[in-house]
Amino acid sequence: VHLAPTLPAGSRLQVIVDESEWIRDMVTELENNILSGLILVVVVLFLFLGFTNSLFVGIAIPLSMFLSFSVIQLLGMTMNMVVLFSRILALGMLVDNAVVVLENVVRFAQNGHRPFEAAKLAAIEVWGAVLASTLTTLAVFLPVIFLEGEAGQLFVDIALAISAAVGLSLLVSIIVI
Protein backbone atom coordinates (compact mmCIF):
# COMPACT_ATOMS: atom_id res chain seq x y z
CA VAL A 1 0.00 0.00 0.00
CA HIS A 2 1.43 3.35 -1.06
CA LEU A 3 0.51 6.24 1.20
CA ALA A 4 0.65 9.76 -0.20
CA PRO A 5 2.58 12.18 2.03
CA THR A 6 0.52 14.84 3.73
CA LEU A 7 1.55 18.46 3.55
CA PRO A 8 1.06 21.04 6.25
CA ALA A 9 -1.92 23.35 5.80
CA GLY A 10 -1.19 26.18 3.39
CA SER A 11 1.55 24.29 1.57
CA ARG A 12 1.52 23.85 -2.17
CA LEU A 13 3.45 21.72 -4.61
CA GLN A 14 5.15 23.17 -7.63
CA VAL A 15 6.98 21.35 -10.41
CA ILE A 16 10.51 22.71 -10.51
CA VAL A 17 12.05 20.30 -12.97
CA ASP A 18 10.13 18.21 -15.48
CA GLU A 19 12.30 15.56 -17.10
CA SER A 20 9.41 13.68 -18.67
CA GLU A 21 10.15 15.04 -22.15
CA TRP A 22 13.83 14.06 -21.82
CA ILE A 23 12.80 10.57 -20.71
CA ARG A 24 10.38 10.24 -23.65
CA ASP A 25 13.18 11.31 -26.01
CA MET A 26 15.55 8.75 -24.48
CA VAL A 27 12.97 5.97 -24.81
CA THR A 28 12.39 6.93 -28.45
CA GLU A 29 16.15 6.97 -29.05
CA LEU A 30 16.56 3.52 -27.48
CA GLU A 31 13.67 2.17 -29.57
CA ASN A 32 15.34 3.58 -32.69
CA ASN A 33 18.65 1.98 -31.66
CA ILE A 34 16.94 -1.40 -31.28
CA LEU A 35 15.41 -1.06 -34.74
CA SER A 36 18.72 0.09 -36.25
CA GLY A 37 20.53 -2.80 -34.58
CA LEU A 38 17.98 -5.27 -35.90
CA ILE A 39 18.34 -3.91 -39.43
CA LEU A 40 22.15 -4.05 -39.25
CA VAL A 41 22.03 -7.62 -37.94
CA VAL A 42 19.80 -8.70 -40.83
CA VAL A 43 22.08 -6.94 -43.36
CA VAL A 44 25.16 -8.70 -41.95
CA LEU A 45 23.32 -12.01 -41.98
CA PHE A 46 22.25 -11.35 -45.56
CA LEU A 47 25.88 -10.79 -46.58
CA PHE A 48 27.03 -14.05 -44.98
CA LEU A 49 24.00 -16.34 -45.18
CA GLY A 50 22.14 -15.15 -48.26
CA PHE A 51 18.63 -13.79 -48.60
CA THR A 52 16.47 -16.79 -47.68
CA ASN A 53 18.53 -17.89 -44.70
CA SER A 54 18.78 -14.37 -43.30
CA LEU A 55 14.98 -14.12 -43.48
CA PHE A 56 14.63 -17.02 -41.03
CA VAL A 57 16.92 -15.35 -38.53
CA GLY A 58 15.27 -12.00 -39.31
CA ILE A 59 11.97 -13.55 -38.23
CA ALA A 60 13.40 -15.33 -35.19
CA ILE A 61 14.90 -12.17 -33.66
CA PRO A 62 11.71 -10.05 -33.51
CA LEU A 63 9.75 -13.12 -32.41
CA SER A 64 12.16 -13.66 -29.50
CA MET A 65 11.97 -9.94 -28.68
CA PHE A 66 8.17 -9.94 -28.76
CA LEU A 67 7.94 -13.03 -26.57
CA SER A 68 10.43 -11.58 -24.09
CA PHE A 69 8.43 -8.34 -23.93
CA SER A 70 5.43 -10.52 -23.05
CA VAL A 71 7.42 -12.18 -20.24
CA ILE A 72 8.55 -8.77 -18.98
CA GLN A 73 4.94 -7.65 -18.89
CA LEU A 74 3.87 -10.86 -17.09
CA LEU A 75 6.57 -10.21 -14.47
CA GLY A 76 5.03 -6.80 -13.86
CA MET A 77 8.04 -4.86 -15.11
CA THR A 78 7.50 -1.52 -16.77
CA MET A 79 8.93 -0.60 -20.14
CA ASN A 80 11.62 1.84 -19.08
CA MET A 81 15.04 2.91 -20.30
CA VAL A 82 16.78 0.14 -18.38
CA VAL A 83 14.61 -2.56 -19.94
CA LEU A 84 14.95 -1.00 -23.40
CA PHE A 85 18.72 -0.80 -23.00
CA SER A 86 18.77 -4.47 -22.05
CA ARG A 87 17.01 -5.16 -25.37
CA ILE A 88 20.00 -3.65 -27.16
CA LEU A 89 22.37 -5.85 -25.15
CA ALA A 90 20.25 -8.94 -25.78
CA LEU A 91 19.95 -8.36 -29.53
CA GLY A 92 23.37 -9.80 -30.31
CA MET A 93 22.76 -12.75 -28.03
CA LEU A 94 19.46 -13.53 -29.73
CA VAL A 95 21.22 -13.97 -33.04
CA ASP A 96 23.69 -16.55 -31.75
CA ASN A 97 21.25 -19.42 -31.18
CA ALA A 98 19.41 -18.83 -34.43
CA VAL A 99 22.61 -18.70 -36.50
CA VAL A 100 23.99 -21.90 -34.96
CA VAL A 101 20.80 -23.81 -35.74
CA LEU A 102 20.42 -22.25 -39.18
CA GLU A 103 23.99 -23.03 -40.21
CA ASN A 104 23.42 -26.67 -39.29
CA VAL A 105 20.15 -26.74 -41.24
CA VAL A 106 21.98 -25.38 -44.29
CA ARG A 107 24.66 -28.05 -43.89
CA PHE A 108 22.07 -30.85 -43.79
CA ALA A 109 20.24 -29.34 -46.78
CA GLN A 110 23.48 -29.17 -48.76
CA ASN A 111 24.01 -32.85 -47.98
CA GLY A 112 20.77 -33.69 -49.80
CA HIS A 113 18.15 -33.70 -47.06
CA ARG A 114 14.75 -32.18 -47.74
CA PRO A 115 14.12 -28.88 -45.91
CA PHE A 116 11.91 -30.20 -43.10
CA GLU A 117 14.14 -33.22 -42.55
CA ALA A 118 17.26 -31.00 -42.61
CA ALA A 119 15.70 -28.68 -40.03
CA LYS A 120 14.70 -31.57 -37.79
CA LEU A 121 18.08 -33.31 -37.97
CA ALA A 122 19.96 -30.04 -37.50
CA ALA A 123 17.94 -29.05 -34.45
CA ILE A 124 18.39 -32.48 -32.88
CA GLU A 125 22.13 -32.37 -33.51
CA VAL A 126 22.84 -28.92 -32.04
CA TRP A 127 20.16 -28.52 -29.39
CA GLY A 128 22.55 -29.60 -26.63
CA ALA A 129 25.21 -27.11 -27.66
CA VAL A 130 22.65 -24.32 -28.01
CA LEU A 131 21.16 -25.23 -24.64
CA ALA A 132 24.62 -25.19 -23.01
CA SER A 133 25.40 -21.81 -24.56
CA THR A 134 22.07 -20.39 -23.36
CA LEU A 135 22.50 -21.81 -19.86
CA THR A 136 25.97 -20.28 -19.52
CA THR A 137 24.55 -16.88 -20.44
CA LEU A 138 21.69 -17.35 -17.97
CA ALA A 139 24.19 -18.44 -15.31
CA VAL A 140 25.84 -15.03 -15.64
CA PHE A 141 22.65 -12.96 -15.42
CA LEU A 142 20.34 -14.90 -13.11
CA PRO A 143 22.35 -14.37 -9.89
CA VAL A 144 21.92 -10.63 -10.43
CA ILE A 145 18.21 -11.11 -9.72
CA PHE A 146 19.03 -11.62 -6.06
CA LEU A 147 20.86 -8.31 -5.61
CA GLU A 148 19.36 -6.02 -3.01
CA GLY A 149 19.39 -2.28 -2.47
CA GLU A 150 19.91 0.35 -5.13
CA ALA A 151 22.06 -1.92 -7.28
CA GLY A 152 19.33 -4.53 -7.20
CA GLN A 153 16.70 -2.05 -8.29
CA LEU A 154 18.78 -1.13 -11.33
CA PHE A 155 20.28 -4.44 -12.37
CA VAL A 156 17.41 -6.84 -11.65
CA ASP A 157 15.39 -5.46 -14.56
CA ILE A 158 18.37 -5.82 -16.88
CA ALA A 159 19.05 -9.38 -15.73
CA LEU A 160 15.40 -10.42 -16.08
CA ALA A 161 14.98 -8.80 -19.50
CA ILE A 162 18.16 -10.33 -20.92
CA SER A 163 17.45 -13.74 -19.36
CA ALA A 164 13.94 -13.77 -20.81
CA ALA A 165 15.19 -12.82 -24.27
CA VAL A 166 18.06 -15.33 -24.32
CA GLY A 167 15.96 -18.14 -22.86
CA LEU A 168 13.22 -17.57 -25.39
CA SER A 169 15.73 -17.34 -28.23
CA LEU A 170 16.67 -20.93 -27.44
CA LEU A 171 13.09 -22.06 -27.95
CA VAL A 172 12.61 -19.93 -31.05
CA SER A 173 15.85 -21.13 -32.64
CA ILE A 174 15.03 -24.80 -32.09
CA ILE A 175 11.32 -24.62 -32.92
CA VAL A 176 11.07 -21.87 -35.55
CA ILE A 177 14.40 -22.13 -37.38
Side-chain angles (χ1 to χ4, degrees):
V1 174
H2 179 52
L3 301 174
T6 56
L7 297 173
S11 298
R12 66 183 184 100
L13 293 176
Q14 180 179 356
V15 176
I16 297 173
V17 177
D18 181 5
E19 294 187 357
S20 63
E21 190 62 37
W22 177 81
I23 292 170
R24 280 190 205 92
D25 290 344
M26 288 301 298
V27 168
T28 300
E29 187 67 29
L30 285 170
E31 289 171 343
N32 290 338
N33 284 338
I34 290 171
L35 183 60
S36 299
L38 180 60
I39 291 168
L40 287 172
V41 164
V42 171
V43 168
V44 168
L45 290 171
F46 173 74
L47 293 173
F48 288 96
L49 300 176
F51 180 74
T52 305
N53 293 330
S54 62
L55 281 179
F56 287 113
V57 178
I59 291 168
I61 296 167
L63 181 58
S64 295
M65 284 272 198
F66 172 76
L67 292 172
S68 66
F69 278 130
S70 299
V71 169
I72 288 168
Q73 197 170 30
L74 286 173
L75 292 173
M77 296 167 54
T78 59
M79 195 54 56
N80 56 40
M81 290 188 299
V82 171
V83 172
L84 286 171
F85 181 71
S86 69
R87 306 283 76 198
I88 294 170
L89 293 174
L91 185 59
M93 295 179 214
L94 296 178
V95 176
D96 294 343
N97 288 339
V99 169
V100 168
V101 175
L102 181 62
E103 280 293 311
N104 210 34
V105 171
V106 169
R107 185 177 62 85
F108 273 98
Q110 288 173 342
N111 288 335
H113 294 278
R114 284 180 270 143
F116 183 77
E117 182 183 11
K120 181 180 173 185
L121 292 171
I124 290 170
E125 185 174 86
V126 298
W127 81 269
V130 174
L131 175 63
S133 173
T134 301
L135 290 177
T136 58
T137 302
L138 292 176
V140 170
F141 287 103
L142 286 178
V144 175
I145 293 170
F146 302 106
L147 285 177
E148 294 181 7
E150 290 179 18
Q153 290 175 339
L154 176 63
F155 295 122
V156 167
D157 284 355
I158 293 172
L160 285 172
I162 290 175
S163 297
V166 172
L168 289 164
S169 76
L170 168 69
L171 297 175
V172 169
S173 66
I174 296 295
I175 295 169
V176 174
I177 299 290

